[in-house]
Amino acid sequence: MHIHILGICGTFMGGVAALAREAGHKVTGCDAGVYPPMSDQLRALGIELIEGYDAGQVQLQPDMFVVGNVVSRARLADGSPKFPLMEAILDQGLPYTSGPQWLAEHVLQGRHVLAVAGTHGKTTTTSMLAWILESAGLTPGFLVGGVPLNFGVSARLGDVAPGQQRPLFVIEADEYDTAFFDKRSKFVHYRPRTAVLNNLEFDHADIFPDLAAIERQFQHLLRTVPASGRVVSNGLEEALARVLHQGCWSQVRSFGSAVSDFTAQGPHHAFAVLHAGQVVGQVQWGLSGEHNQLNALAAIAAAEHVGVPPATACAALADFQNVRRRMELRGTVAGIALYDDFAHHPTAIRTTLDGLRQQIGQQKRILAVFEPRSNTMKLGTMKAQLPWALKEADLAFCHTAGLDWDAAQALEPLGAAGLTADNIPTLVQQVMAAVQPNDTIVCMSNGGFGGVHTQLLAALAEKFSAQ
């Protein structure tokens, strides 16, 4: 089969492309501003990439056009379509489908799907679970919205392990909508036998009016899990309790709360895992923060459902290397460590900074450099939560380009510790004016952030080489 993917450079669609290529299909694709790292990965796989969405691409005559959710029926200021290729597909009655639906029909069919859903921690927990299964010799397939450092790729098909009835596939299960013609959450297509509900709070204000609307989508996910399946749910989350109360027809295993099936005792970097109150393993690793401890419990409980003993899972996590862009150390200059993190929601920012504070202590300063880039943050829906989110930062620097709301006003509760800049060079200058030896800088964005990490490292080297 020849598939042509619209929006191929996104992490999800790029993963679909890699899986299709590995399965032997011919894959081509297009995107606006074809960009690395996904463009590099795809070209390395021999996948032809086309810049833009011109209608002439229908001449490729693929068997199926696979449409990413970046595509819409939007019009430009002059009235012309933003995505001419999509208009040509519709006009000519050519076959098209969404990425999640193609994946469900051509990859997930016949596999034991382990899906990891939640507002936060999906990528990390999916990567943990895939690594646990890999360490146990189960050779899982996976699709992750990032690059797990243990694997070096975001997706692979996997294989059937000895003794397994069907191949395992671990997937990051996003609640965002599927495509402009399918407004259901992506995860409804995956039909998991093991479903992880990691946490749940309001997000995606561009498509969901309130938390109840997202809870309804999570309930739809539960309706697809068979009675022989397992739902692994965070026992600390009231929103998930409401979702389960609406109906659950599968085995439920909880984690996190004092009365949960899976709990933890000890500091976040070295803790005991308890199952039904009995110690079943020890985790000692380089990750920090309560959020990662909870992610670990979720992955351990999910792995147990496919036969991996908790002790084996705990041992595997000692070698877990995290995910690219999850507190990834990009460089150190004059004792100043610079990290890159994907945090793009107030709770994620708060969680990242809390974990960093626990790791480095109270004596070192934290400089938080962030941009409100997600659709929810751009709308300003959660701007009032930013001072709370940045509580552990000694200084906060906000990149304000593209915002329709006043970030300086939102950061007023931080006083002189909250600074704003509408361009990257000014942001770098502000950080350079404030930074001191042995500070810790953490850059937070769900995008490329204009290459600010590289610019900051270069500026640090220049400033401190002269001293």
Side-chain angles (χ1 to χ4, degrees):
M1 174 185 282
H2 174 196
I3 64 172
H4 187 63
I5 300 179
L6 285 68
I8 194 170
C9 285
T11 52
F12 174 78
M13 297 303 282
V16 171
L19 292 170
R21 186 74 182 84
E22 188 181 349
H25 300 292
K26 178 181 178 181
V27 183
T28 55
C30 63
D31 212 320
V34 171
Y35 48 90
M38 194 55 72
S39 60
D40 295 337
Q41 290 185 42
L42 294 174
R43 286 195 176 104
L45 292 171
I47 294 173
E48 178 190 351
L49 303 180
I50 299 172
E51 172 65 36
Y53 296 90
D54 64 281
Q57 293 175 50
V58 295
Q59 300 304 319
L60 293 170
Q61 298 183 326
D63 299 293
M64 183 66 68
F65 290 94
V66 182
V67 182
N69 67 359
V70 69
V71 177
S72 70
R73 304 295 304 279
R75 298 266 165 180
L76 301 175
D78 63 2
S80 62
K82 186 176 181 180
F83 298 94
L85 175 55
M86 193 67 234
E87 297 301 322
I89 292 168
L90 294 171
D91 255 355
Q92 298 178 34
L94 301 175
Y96 67 92
T97 188
S98 69
Q101 185 168 342
W102 191 92
L103 188 71
E105 293 173 354
H106 297 275
V107 175
L108 303 184
Q109 199 75 253
R111 296 174 183 259
H112 182 127
V113 176
L114 300 95
V116 179
T119 308
H120 311 292
K122 289 188 294 293
T123 301
T124 303
T125 307
T126 305
S127 302
M128 284 183 193
L129 179 53
W131 178 243
I132 289 170
L133 301 184
E134 176 78 357
S135 298
L138 299 180
T139 324
F142 57 82
L143 175 54
V144 186
V147 180
L149 295 173
N150 290 89
F151 295 101
V153 294
S154 63
R156 77 172 191 196
L157 285 178
D159 207 346
V160 186
Q164 288 288 314
Q165 291 185 334
R166 48 172 69 111
L168 305 178
F169 197 93
V170 187
I171 187 166
E172 181 172 331
D174 188 6
E175 73 272 23
Y176 205 80
D177 61 15
T178 298
F180 74 87
F181 50 86
D182 183 351
K183 307 314 285 183
R184 294 173 296 171
S185 289
K186 289 188 183 77
F187 58 40
V188 173
H189 292 274
Y190 302 155
R191 302 188 179 180
R193 302 188 72 83
T194 309
V196 174
L197 310 183
N198 217 19
N199 42 60
L200 182 54
E201 63 177 296
F202 184 59
D203 196 6
H204 309 306
D206 54 319
I207 62 170
F208 292 120
D210 50 33
L211 179 57
I214 307 177
E215 290 176 8
R216 193 170 305 116
Q217 293 295 322
F218 272 68
Q219 168 58 203
H220 291 167
L221 174 64
L222 291 191
R223 295 178 189 183
T224 68
V225 182
S228 59
R230 173 180 290 189
V231 174
V232 177
S233 183
N234 188 334
L236 298 169
E237 296 278 324
E238 291 183 8
L240 293 178
R242 290 194 295 269
V243 170
L244 291 167
H245 184 70
Q246 291 176 44
C248 183
W249 300 265
S250 314
Q251 175 194 85
V252 178
R253 291 292 181 267
S254 62
F255 67 92
S257 74
V259 295
S260 290
D261 300 294
F262 289 85
T263 58
Q265 286 182 353
H268 303 142
H269 67 279
F271 56 92
V273 172
L274 289 76
H275 181 208
Q278 301 296 313
V279 174
V280 290
Q282 301 279 339
V283 174
Q284 293 191 337
W285 58 358
L287 276 65
S288 62
E290 181 184 10
H291 62 297
N292 279 319
Q293 189 180 68
L294 291 170
N295 292 341
L297 292 176
I300 290 165
E304 192 215 28
H305 188 227
V306 292
V308 180
T312 302
C314 291
L317 290 176
D319 297 319
F320 179 66
Q321 299 176 33
N322 214 336
V323 183
R324 195 165 294 160
R325 300 209 60 212
R326 270 61 178 183
M327 284 305 289
E328 180 182 0
L329 180 64
R330 294 289 293 268
T332 303
V333 179
I336 301 163
L338 188 144
Y339 290 91
D340 181 18
D341 194 75
F342 196 75
H344 61 281
H345 180 287
T347 300
I349 293 171
R350 174 67 182 252
T351 299
T352 292
L353 296 179
D354 282 356
L356 179 59
R357 176 60 72 197
Q358 291 173 19
Q359 182 180 340
I360 68 173
Q362 296 294 330
Q363 303 308 312
K364 288 187 176 182
R365 298 196 312 166
I366 295 174
L367 279 60
V369 183
F370 71 100
E371 63 172 352
R373 184 182 175 277
S374 70
N375 290 329
T376 299
M377 293 299 286
K378 280 182 179 177
L379 289 170
T381 308
M382 298 181 176
K383 62 185 179 183
Q385 295 181 34
L386 283 174
W388 166 82
L390 296 159
K391 181 177 179 293
E392 288 297 338
D394 295 279
L395 294 170
F397 304 84
C398 179
H399 183 222
T400 62
L403 299 183
D404 293 328
W405 47 275
D406 189 340
Q409 185 180 51
L411 297 180
E412 274 183 359
L414 299 179
L419 295 90
T420 62
D422 62 5
N423 60 79
I424 298 295
T426 301
L427 193 72
V428 171
Q429 289 172 10
Q430 289 177 339
V431 176
M432 286 304 103
V435 70
Q436 300 170 8
N438 300 314
D439 282 346
T440 300
I441 301 173
V442 55
C443 300
M444 293 176 285
S445 170
N446 67 343
F449 208 161
V452 72
H453 322 83
T454 304
Q455 295 181 47
L456 282 170
L457 286 171
L460 286 168
E462 182 178 352
K463 176 174 179 174
F464 289 100
S465 65
Q467 295 182 6

